[in-house]
Amino acid sequence: MTNPKPIRTVRRGRIFPDIQWTEEKKAQWKAEQEAFYQRSKVIFDQVQPELIKSHHNWYVAVEPESGDYFTDKDELAAIHKSRQQHPNDPVFIFRINETGIAGTI
């Protein structure tokens, strides 16, 4: 005789229930991300007109603290170039086109 399989209890919920952000922490994180984007966007807006002529649809990784930017046809290659000079600094990726959007919707 075969034993029937026990009914599995479905557990739904957070993987790490101890780690929960408050609304203030979420708002602070969003504000920091927006500020980082705004600092990066200023640099991108300065270099976009000259880069769009020669590097249309390439990627540019902008490191806003130093003002450096790195271009390449491949998004990961642009990030790798930025990591060589600024190993621990975050970068923002733009696409060198009319909108600057690097992803798809």
Side-chain angles (χ1 to χ4, degrees), residues 26-38:
K26 288 180 189 177
Q28 177 187 3
W29 181 81
K30 286 182 181 181
E32 289 171 358
Q33 294 298 313
E34 181 63 26
F36 182 73
Y37 167 74
Q38 292 300 329

Side-chain angles (χ1 to χ4, degrees), residues 13-91:
R14 296 183 60 89
I15 296 173
F16 301 106
D18 298 336
I19 303 173
Q20 294 191 17
W21 283 12
T22 62
E23 291 301 319
E24 293 83 23
K25 189 167 183 176
K26 288 180 189 177
Q28 177 187 3
W29 181 81
K30 286 182 181 181
E32 289 171 358
Q33 294 298 313
E34 181 63 26
F36 182 73
Y37 167 74
Q38 292 300 329
R39 291 193 312 268
S40 302
K41 181 82 167 129
V42 169
I43 296 167
F44 175 70
D45 288 339
Q46 291 173 356
V47 299
Q48 180 196 20
E50 65 185 49
L51 291 177
I52 202 166
K53 296 173 188 172
S54 59
H55 297 89
H56 192 267
N57 276 337
W58 282 32
Y59 293 94
V60 60
V62 177
E63 198 285 309
E65 304 308 320
S66 66
D68 293 342
Y69 61 93
F70 307 90
T71 60
D72 202 282
K73 287 182 181 179
D74 182 40
E75 179 179 8
L76 294 177
I79 293 170
H80 182 68
K81 287 179 182 180
S82 71
R83 293 284 185 249
Q84 289 176 344
Q85 287 193 354
H86 306 284
N88 298 322
D89 295 336
V91 295

